[in-house]
Amino acid sequence: MTTASKLLQWYKRHRRDLPWRKTRDPYRILVSEVMLQQTQVDRVKMFYAAWIPRFPNWKRLASASNEDVIRMWAGLGYNRRALMLRDAARQVVERGVPTTTEGWRAIKGIGPYTSSAISAFAQKKRVMPIDTNIRRVLGRLLLGKPFPQPRDDERIQKVVNDFLPHRGNYFDVPQAIFDLATDICQKSPKCIECPLRRECPSAKKFLSGRVRIPKQMIKKAVESRHAEKLYPDRIYRGRILKAVRESKNGMPIGRIGPIIDPYFDQIVDSEWIEKMISRLIKDQLIEIVRGKLFLKK
Ligand code: SF4
């Protein structure tokens, strides 16, 4: 039995029941993929369930305004994703639904990972999308590298062709890898429970107990933040957007500071808040009309 067949057999018994795995509709798969970027699966399930009835297809989403999509995205975070998704829908409506990975890649906002993911999950193409999870499993399994890095993607793509089956459910292999990455092949893997431990050259290394997580992987990502504030700016930008969304007749700029931060100081913090408002305007999420902040129409 090949390694991929073993993996698929394990997947059959352990696969997570996710709504976007029950469809081959490229629209729904794109929605799920964009929502899953930087958001936990359980949260995405809730938002996906609300999004699909409201925007069931490319056309309905393409005709939505910035305000419509920002309101529906409320609470999911990284709000630019909502506009990117709507803009992608507009391109699909204009040019037709792509049928190749390259075609998806040509849609502005869709990167190499997402284009391969839609091709595999919606259109059963024999391709391997590589994100952090897939890189971790395949780098360990195919390259024998306990902690593979993005620079290893090219090598993974070269060898993955021999790993992927030519027939059967080869298009399920990436989903099976996701689940293996979530349940077993985590940053500190549970090789002893892994169905691929016999085939995996990294298993011995981990089981010997001599492999340590490299320091650069422990370092936290650097986010922009005000030295005196509790949270990164991203959190305060989210609060500005929430306040604007919930204001009935627009939010006067002068009132926003104390709403998003109880320690706001008009003199010391005004430059900080202006910068965050400018960023939200640049991202097309809000606009200023006669001194008040509104969601971008
Ligand atoms: S044996 Fe260990 S390192 Fe290899 S794929 Fe399984 S969990 Fe990951």
Side-chain angles (χ1 to χ4, degrees):
M1 187 183 282
T2 65
T3 309
S5 324
K6 266 194 175 178
L7 175 65
L8 286 171
Q9 222 175 49
W10 174 86
Y11 179 61
K12 223 172 165 181
R13 289 196 306 273
H14 299 276
R15 60 181 289 162
R16 284 176 295 172
D17 181 26
L18 302 172
W20 47 89
R21 286 185 177 172
K22 293 176 182 154
T23 178
R24 297 264 172 229
D25 177 355
Y27 169 72
R28 290 180 181 217
I29 287 168
L30 177 64
V31 171
S32 68
E33 287 298 336
V34 174
M35 286 184 170
L36 284 163
Q37 289 162 15
Q38 291 161 312
T39 307
Q40 300 285 330
V41 169
D42 285 337
R43 272 181 78 67
V44 170
K45 272 166 125 176
M46 280 170 7
F47 282 87
Y48 178 87
W51 183 275
I52 294 298
R54 173 78 173 79
F55 303 117
N57 50 43
W58 300 111
K59 237 176 157 177
R60 287 279 288 279
L61 180 57
S63 62
S65 68
N66 283 24
E67 188 176 348
D68 290 339
V69 291
I70 295 165
R71 285 195 187 282
M72 276 308 285
W73 203 265
L76 200 50
Y78 295 98
N79 295 277
R80 268 182 301 170
R81 291 181 296 172
L83 300 182
M84 174 262 133
L85 191 54
R86 192 272 321 273
D87 292 346
R90 287 183 176 169
Q91 294 170 72
V92 170
V93 168
E94 215 177 283
R95 308 182 200 166
V97 180
T99 54
T100 61
T101 310
E102 295 69 37
W104 287 109
R105 186 77 180 87
I107 304 268
K108 199 166 160 251
I110 296 188
Y113 164 78
T114 309
S115 53
S116 296
I118 308 173
S119 295
F121 307 146
Q123 297 169 331
K124 298 188 176 179
K125 302 279 188 220
R126 197 172 162 274
V127 290
M128 181 59 72
I130 300 186
D131 72 343
T132 325
N133 291 310
I134 295 208
R135 177 183 307 122
R136 189 169 66 245
V137 176
L138 289 184
R140 288 169 175 176
L141 182 65
L142 303 180
L143 306 182
K145 289 188 98 172
F147 294 100
Q149 302 296 314
R151 61 175 175 271
D152 297 313
D153 289 359
E154 218 177 296
R155 277 185 67 207
I156 294 175
Q157 284 294 9
K158 274 188 190 151
V159 292
V160 85
N161 190 41
D162 291 333
F163 171 74
L164 270 177
H166 284 268
R167 283 194 296 273
N169 291 358
Y170 55 83
F171 44 83
D172 274 342
V173 170
Q175 299 283 24
I177 298 176
F178 285 136
D179 287 2
L180 192 78
T182 307
D183 296 346
I184 296 177
C185 195
Q186 299 148 346
K187 207 185 270 182
S188 294
K190 300 183 251 177
C191 299
I192 204 76
E193 295 173 29
C194 182
L196 311 179
R197 65 185 176 279
R198 284 184 215 286
E199 292 79 6
C200 179
S202 301
K204 259 194 201 145
K205 298 179 189 172
F206 281 113
L207 290 170
S208 73
R210 272 182 267 134
V211 179
R212 294 272 171 272
I213 298 177
K215 271 199 193 118
Q216 74 265 26
M217 289 183 72
I218 300 172
K219 262 197 234 155
K220 283 191 179 154
V222 184
E223 286 195 279
S224 72
R225 65 187 304 155
H226 185 306
E228 307 287 318
K229 303 291 176 194
L230 217 49
Y231 306 108
D233 290 352
R234 172 174 56 84
I235 301 293
Y236 294 101
R237 283 198 304 273
R239 289 182 182 176
I240 296 175
L241 194 63
K242 182 169 185 279
V244 174
R245 205 169 51 227
E246 289 172 358
S247 66
K248 286 209 173 75
N249 302 307
M251 171 60 62
I253 295 184
R255 280 186 44 210
I256 193 80
I259 293 177
I260 65 152
D261 175 24
Y263 307 106
F264 182 78
D265 182 315
Q266 193 64 47
I267 298 166
V268 182
D269 295 332
S270 56
E271 200 182 318
W272 170 64
I273 204 153
E274 276 165 23
K275 257 186 165 169
M276 290 193 292
I277 290 174
S278 303
R279 166 80 185 267
L280 290 167
I281 292 173
K282 191 167 163 240
D283 289 346
Q284 309 261 311
L285 296 166
I286 61 172
E287 59 188 350
I288 301 177
V289 181
R290 288 190 284 277
K292 286 181 174 177
L293 302 172
F294 290 86
L295 289 182
K296 174 95 175 133
K297 291 271 185 269

